[in-house]
């Protein structure tokens, strides 16, 4: 069973210190310094166990990669334990590549 996770619980969890929960999910920006390094991070993310069944949204740029997790369920969009576990896995593969998330880079403007 996949349980919902509140934004507060997500942020309090270990292993996702560089992540932020904003209106469109749990997000992390990993500065890379080059497009090639960004592509390398995306390749490593693609090899995480279980990522194919629950892929993140990725924004690949010349200076970094933004990763976002959010699950669509019958009751609407929610963060889940799967989102949290995969965010931890992304954090681990980024760390293995010498990359650290920059939480200040995640910003959101919601207009309704």
């Amino acid at each position: 069973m996949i349980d919902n996770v509140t934004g507060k619980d997500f942020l309090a969890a270990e292993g996702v210190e560089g992540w932020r929960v904003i209106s469109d999910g749990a997000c992390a920006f990993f500065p890379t310094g080059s497009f090639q390094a960004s592509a390398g991070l995306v390749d490593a993310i693609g090899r995480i166990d279980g990522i194919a069944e629950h892929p993140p949204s990725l924004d690949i740029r010349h200076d970094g990669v933004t990763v976002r997790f959010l699950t669509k369920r019958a009751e609407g969009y929610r963060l889940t334990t799967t989102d949290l576990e995969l965010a931890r896995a992304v954090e681990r593969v980024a760390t293995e590549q010498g990359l650290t998330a920059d939480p200040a880079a995640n910003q959101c403007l919601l207009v309704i």
Side-chain angles (χ1 to χ4, degrees), residues 44-80:
I45 291 170
R47 289 186 266 115
I48 293 172
D49 287 338
I51 204 80
E53 293 79 23
H54 194 77
S57 296
L58 299 171
D59 182 356
I60 306 161
R61 304 287 173 120
H62 71 281
D63 61 346
V65 177
T66 300
V67 183
R68 178 177 66 97
F69 285 103
L70 189 62
T71 299
K72 183 178 181 181
R73 301 189 67 182
E75 67 272 16
Y77 289 93
R78 301 282 189 264
L79 289 173
T80 65

Side-chain angles (χ1 to χ4, degrees), residues 6-24:
T6 67
K8 185 176 180 179
D9 290 339
F10 187 99
L11 293 174
E14 290 185 28
V16 289
E17 290 77 16
W19 292 70
R20 293 295 175 258
V21 176
I22 55 179
S23 66
D24 54 351

Side-chain angles (χ1 to χ4, degrees), residues 21-25 27 105-112:
V21 176
I22 55 179
S23 66
D24 54 351
C27 300
N106 290 310
Q107 299 180 15
C108 179
L109 173 63
L110 179 61
V111 178
I112 298 176

Side-chain angles (χ1 to χ4, degrees), residues 32-41 61-62 97:
T32 60
S34 73
F35 184 79
Q36 290 78 8
S38 294
L41 176 58
R61 304 287 173 120
H62 71 281
Q97 294 190 9

